[in-house]
Amino acid sequence: MENTRRSILKKMTDAGIGTAGLALRCNAAAATVTTETSAEKKKKPAGKDDGKLRFGFIGTGSRCHEHINNVLSIPGNKIVAICDIQAGPIQRTLDHIAKFNVPAPKVYTGSEREFEKMLNNEEFDCVIIASPWEWHVPMSVAAMKAGVPYVGVEVSAANTLEECWDLVNVSEATGSHLNIMENVCYRRDCMAALNMVRKGLFGELLHATCGYEHDLRDVKFNDGKHYTYQKGGELRMGKDAFAEAQWRTNHSVRRNGDVYPTHGIGPVANCLDINRGNRFLSLSAMATQSRGLHKFIVDNGGENHPLAKVRFNLGDIVTSMIKCANGQTVIVTHDTNSPRPYSLGFRIQGTEGLWMNDGDHVYVENQSKPHRWDDSEEWFKKFDHTLWSKHEAEAAQAGHGGMDYVMMFDLINAIHNKKPAPMDCYDAAAWSAISALSEMSIARGGALVDFPDFTRGQWIHRQPAFALSE
């Protein structure tokens, strides 16, 4: 595999990054791609046996079920194998798959590394990873090194800069397509707004806001049986809890930054052509004090509850500002520990108008009444994306308002046509890096930190590709 390493080093040197840059910016990733991989194994072409794409799933919680619904509702797919360390989710997933009257998949369970056995034993066209965040990169890397041609990883794709480089380096070294499964990029209003941006309705873009503003207090705690906290019931987190409360809450204990940026930044990055003619240059972040989770414990369990002693590090509201190479600024907000209605806070603003999703507002100069908002619905009907207009009926039956279906359809279309992943390893790295960079900036008192160029200079020549056609 030394040739692979030399080719990566050459790419980096050509882009102005030598071996010193490799050590500083992707030392862990370099080690990853030099180890012997099984990517050289000959794999059967897609649909070789029966014409169906072969899917595997690692992590069998509720998110996996939503993906399974869409994989099996789109003709021409089958599920070969599933993997999880817990027997309960495995059985619930088998029961769920049985409702579709299709053959049961093989099951891999037991140790934490059982997914490696599944990847090496089976042949897949695509593996979807819907595990806890800390396992996203190890599992994605293992899948790519096992020769899986398309790997879909749930969000956020990575937690550290080293992990971001792992995704890029291994995808480049193996040729496997990594796709970040950011469903909000396929939200109907986001795709219509993207159409408006591409048709120049807002002029030259200047500024954007976005974020993840979602009260998750009753997801971060539960009674060990229900997905969300039941009023008056037990309060648990960690190994004694259920579902996301087993692992997600611990990130609020250990980290202080935007730990979940991609729902907001994904659609904005598409509008700004990030990694394709534009890129993120630098970031500065600040966080408020941490109050919401402790207050939730005291309000529901009392001051003497054992969890009241837990010290949460995550600020209740984290604000990051990003500067782009083409001049634009972006504000990203993370707010999950406070009582509030759900919002992703989108605002796409240019020299000739803007869209704000809070309030469903659009204003286009010389077309809207001066100083008066238009209802965005009428504009979005006119600029509805073809992925939605053609697949509205099928999407209506899917999760998250249909965007899960449209996302899976687009990925499957790429697999069938051997096209690049719709949201590739560079997107996964750039969008996810906001987590690590915001933590770094906050720890330094809001200091400006440089944004890595995960494309190594390719962004200058790469062309926009997301959702341009079917």
Side-chain angles (χ1 to χ4, degrees), residues 327-350:
Q328 301 90 352
T329 53
V330 182
I331 293 175
V332 189
T333 304
H334 181 269
D335 176 2
T336 63
N337 298 340
S338 306
R340 58 158 300 122
Y342 177 87
S343 172
L344 298 184
F346 288 119
R347 170 180 166 188
I348 305 294
Q349 186 166 359

Side-chain angles (χ1 to χ4, degrees), residues 283-302:
L283 177 148
S284 175
M286 290 188 180
T288 70
Q289 66 271 49
S290 179
R291 296 290 184 268
L293 296 183
H294 175 78
K295 184 177 185 300
F296 186 82
I297 293 167
V298 172
D299 288 348
N300 290 281

Side-chain angles (χ1 to χ4, degrees), residues 128-345:
I128 305 293
I129 296 163
S131 57
W133 296 343
E134 52 266 35
W135 283 99
H136 284 182
V137 171
M139 290 173 174
S140 296
V141 166
M144 289 188 285
K145 291 170 70 174
V148 179
Y150 289 83
V151 178
V153 60
E154 264 298 337
V155 298
S156 289
N159 302 293
T160 68
L161 293 184
E162 290 79 9
E163 287 186 334
C164 291
W165 279 112
D166 277 353
L167 296 178
V168 170
N169 287 343
V170 177
S171 179
E172 289 180 343
T174 61
S176 290
H177 297 282
L178 182 85
N179 189 75
I180 180 171
M181 305 296 285
E182 183 41 78
N183 60 351
V184 181
C185 289
Y186 293 89
R187 209 170 82 171
R188 195 165 193 169
D189 58 347
C190 291
M191 298 197 82
L194 178 60
N195 261 349
M196 294 180 72
V197 167
R198 286 175 169 169
K199 293 181 184 299
L201 270 294
F202 301 138
E204 180 186 356
L205 294 191
L206 302 167
H207 179 70
T209 68
C210 61
Y212 189 62
E213 300 170 298
H214 188 186
D215 183 358
L216 293 181
R217 294 173 300 166
D218 65 351
V219 171
K220 294 183 179 183
F221 304 99
N222 58 43
D223 60 3
K225 300 175 183 177
H226 301 90
Y227 188 86
T228 58
Y229 173 68
Q230 308 296 299
K231 194 70 174 177
E234 289 186 78
L235 276 169
R236 297 184 184 182
M237 57 173 277
K239 61 182 178 63
D240 295 326
F242 178 69
E244 291 187 40
Q246 289 184 331
W247 54 269
R248 187 168 190 161
T249 321
N250 286 327
H251 287 267
S252 299
V253 176
R254 296 183 283 105
R255 305 169 64 188
N256 189 17
D258 189 333
V259 298
Y260 201 62
T262 69
H263 278 343
I265 202 62
V268 165
N270 288 329
C271 288
L272 293 173
D273 294 331
I274 298 301
N275 295 327
R276 296 165 179 84
N278 196 6
R279 80 172 185 93
F280 299 137
L281 283 182
S282 56
L283 177 148
S284 175
M286 290 188 180
T288 70
Q289 66 271 49
S290 179
R291 296 290 184 268
L293 296 183
H294 175 78
K295 184 177 185 300
F296 186 82
I297 293 167
V298 172
D299 288 348
N300 290 281
E303 294 183 357
N304 295 322
H305 192 281
L307 293 183
K309 299 177 182 178
V310 176
R311 181 178 177 181
F312 294 97
N313 197 36
L314 180 65
D316 286 355
I317 301 172
V318 177
T319 306
S320 303
M321 176 174 278
I322 300 171
K323 181 68 175 178
C324 299
N326 290 348
Q328 301 90 352
T329 53
V330 182
I331 293 175
V332 189
T333 304
H334 181 269
D335 176 2
T336 63
N337 298 340
S338 306
R340 58 158 300 122
Y342 177 87
S343 172
L344 298 184

